[in-house]
Amino acid sequence: MQRALSDIRVFDLSGRGIIPLGERFELFAKLGFSSVDVDLQYTSGFTTTDLSARDWELLYAIGAAVKLGERFAIRAEYE
């Protein structure tokens, strides 16, 4: 019998700078950090293996948005 269990948690915190291009379009950039916490457990037969990893990563992104009124927008982002 084989069984794999995983628990993955990610926490992001970033700031975003916006450059408006007229009333409907904007460009933006994000900068911040991301905390990743992964716990894995794999069981095969009578053997169980536990693995865990925790790491902090730099988070950055660029993108553009098109406003569809005052409350909605379509946004494309490369992170």
Side-chain angles (χ1 to χ4, degrees):
M1 179 176 123
Q2 295 181 350
R3 185 177 76 178
L5 300 172
S6 65
D7 183 23
I8 301 171
R9 291 177 296 274
V10 179
F11 173 77
D12 295 334
L13 181 64
S14 62
R16 183 170 59 145
I18 301 171
I19 300 172
L21 300 175
E23 291 187 25
R24 296 189 61 200
F25 299 98
E26 62 187 27
L27 298 176
F28 64 88
K30 288 191 333 186
L31 183 63
F33 70 92
S34 180
S35 170
V36 181
D37 185 6
V38 178
D39 294 311
L40 302 171
Q41 184 180 67
Y42 178 75
T43 302
S44 179
F46 296 106
T47 304
T48 299
T49 303
D50 291 313
L51 301 169
S52 65
R54 284 152 184 75
D55 198 8
W56 293 86
E57 297 283 334
L58 178 65
L59 171 70
Y60 55 92
I62 59 171
V66 178
K67 295 179 184 178
L68 304 174
E70 291 186 31
R71 296 186 180 186
F72 296 99
I74 296 175
R75 188 169 77 183
E77 178 177 319
Y78 177 77
E79 188 172 299

